[in-house]
């Protein structure tokens, strides 16, 4: 029975791995196929690769510019969210004040609402303020999307560290700010890193706000991929090539920093 159980678990893992990797394999291989090979029946597993679609992506679209826009918006929004969210999470864990529980739930509630419900008033406000189709406007919109997640994650990490650590620093003459800077912040760095990583991935993959709040100047790369879908035709080769280019930075980034994700998510799990 044990051998049968091991075989069943192995089969289940293989099936799950195939289901997870098959879409990625199809996107990448189709980006290197000619049109006749991409839709051949039965599918062609062995083909002559071509970089024609990638050349068209870079020549016919502002792909480099939109890549830069995505980098600025993703990292900028997460940086601002951390600067605002870390003090807010610290206040929620260390201070006692009236309405603290309600405020904490409101932060979570802002993330529960459907994005389209938030987008409509934000679109009107950004248009009135002249922030639509600007890097600053889209960055601030992504800050609004990431802030609740940042506060809740950092609040969880800060709750793992008892206030006695800061009290010991106060006894030694440190101020509250000094105790936070010298004692708490070094301990919560893995949590901050994990929060930054997830925020960057969410911001890079976001599409709805990017589509509504950008036109040409602040267009991120996810919206540029959508431009390969036309009413007359779908440019499948360019679409798959652009999709591969969009996935590649996120995959590389996740592989490089995955140990920080694990370290941050399990921080404080073992005392």
């Amino acid at each position: 029975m044990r051998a049968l159980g091991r075989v069943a678990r192995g089969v289940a893992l293989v099936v799950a791995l195939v289901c997870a990797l098959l879409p990625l394999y199809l996107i990448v291989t189709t980006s290197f196929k000619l049109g006749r090979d991409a839709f051949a029946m039965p599918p062609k597993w062995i083909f002559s690769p071509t970089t024609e679609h990638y050349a068209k992506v870079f020549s016919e679209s502002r792909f480099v510019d939109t890549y830069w826009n995505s980098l600025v918006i993703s990292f900028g929004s997460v940086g601002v969210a951390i600067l605002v969210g870390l003090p807010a999470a610290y206040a929620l864990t260390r201070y006692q004040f009236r309405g603290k529980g309600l405020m904490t739930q409101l932060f979570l509630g802002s993330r529960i609402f459907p994005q389209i419900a938030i987008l409509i008033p934000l679109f009107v406000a950004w248009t009135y303020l002249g922030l639509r189709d600007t890097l600053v406007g889209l960055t601030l919109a992504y800050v609004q999307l990431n802030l609740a997640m940042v506060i809740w994650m950092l609040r969880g990490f800060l709750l793992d560290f008892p206030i006695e650590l800061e009290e010991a620093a106060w006894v030694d003459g440190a101020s509250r700010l000094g105790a936070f800077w010298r004692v708490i912040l070094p301990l919560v760095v893995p949590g901050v890193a994990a929060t930054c990583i997830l925020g960057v991935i969410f911001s890079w993959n976001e599409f709805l706000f990017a589509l509504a709040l950008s036109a040409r100047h602040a267009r991120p790369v996810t919206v540029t991929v959508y431009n390969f879908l036309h009413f007359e035709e779908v440019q499948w080769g360019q679409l798959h090539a652009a999709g591969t280019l969009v996935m590649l930075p996120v995959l590389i980034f996740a592989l490089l920093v995955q140990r920080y994700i694990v370290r941050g998510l399990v921080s404080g799990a073992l005392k």
Side-chain angles (χ1 to χ4, degrees):
M1 293 298 294
R2 289 185 178 180
L4 183 60
R6 287 195 296 267
V7 171
R9 286 193 296 269
V11 171
L13 288 174
V14 170
V15 172
L17 186 63
V18 170
C19 292
L21 296 182
L22 183 59
L24 301 180
Y25 171 80
L26 293 176
I27 291 175
V28 174
T29 55
T30 305
S31 69
F32 289 101
K33 289 182 178 180
L34 295 173
R36 61 177 181 271
D37 295 331
F39 298 99
M41 287 296 173
K44 283 191 175 181
W45 301 101
I46 301 176
F47 57 92
S48 299
T50 178
T51 58
E52 172 187 349
H53 304 308
Y54 289 92
K56 289 183 178 179
V57 166
F58 283 107
S59 63
E60 298 178 4
S61 63
R62 300 170 55 244
F63 226 78
V64 176
D65 294 336
T66 56
Y67 249 87
W68 171 251
N69 291 343
S70 291
L71 288 172
V72 171
I73 294 167
S74 299
F75 285 94
S77 62
V78 172
V80 174
I82 292 292
L83 290 177
V84 176
L86 183 56
Y90 180 80
L92 290 174
T93 57
R94 293 298 190 261
Y95 292 93
Q96 298 297 327
F97 52 89
R98 183 176 299 178
K100 173 182 174 181
L102 176 62
M103 185 177 295
T104 305
Q105 297 302 320
L106 287 176
F107 280 124
L108 179 62
S110 65
R111 187 66 180 178
I112 293 176
F113 284 121
Q115 287 190 357
I116 190 65
I118 304 172
L119 176 60
I120 296 174
L122 198 64
F123 179 86
V124 176
W126 260 224
T127 302
Y128 178 77
L129 295 172
L131 293 175
R132 192 165 66 88
D133 197 25
T134 64
L135 292 178
V136 173
L138 205 53
T139 299
L140 293 176
Y142 282 14
V143 170
Q144 188 275 331
L145 289 177
N146 286 320
L147 190 57
M149 182 269 295
V150 167
I151 292 175
W152 265 85
M153 286 193 65
L154 293 179
R155 175 179 174 271
F157 293 127
L158 288 169
L159 286 174
D160 289 331
F161 304 106
I163 195 173
E164 286 78 11
L165 293 173
E166 294 168 87
E167 291 175 345
W170 299 341
V171 172
D172 291 336
S175 63
R176 180 178 287 273
L177 180 60
F180 170 78
W181 185 261
R182 295 184 177 90
V183 178
I184 298 300
L185 190 58
L187 295 175
V188 82
V189 163
V192 173
T195 304
C196 290
I197 293 163
L198 294 178
V200 168
I201 293 175
F202 291 157
S203 299
W204 183 272
N205 293 331
E206 205 282 326
F207 177 77
L208 182 60
F209 275 59
L211 179 64
L213 298 179
S214 68
R216 177 176 176 81
H217 301 291
R219 180 184 299 167
V221 71
T222 50
V223 179
T224 303
V225 174
Y226 181 74
N227 291 339
F228 293 104
L229 300 174
H230 302 288
F231 290 107
E232 296 83 4
E233 65 171 343
V234 177
Q235 297 174 328
W236 291 108
Q238 290 92 309
L239 184 63
H240 284 82
T244 302
L245 292 172
V246 171
M247 290 190 304
L248 192 59
V250 179
L251 290 175
I252 295 175
F253 183 64
L255 290 174
L256 291 176
V257 300
Q258 61 179 341
R259 61 192 181 100
Y260 295 104
I261 298 179
V262 176
R263 185 189 305 174
L265 294 179
V266 303
S267 177
L270 300 176
K271 298 294 184 182

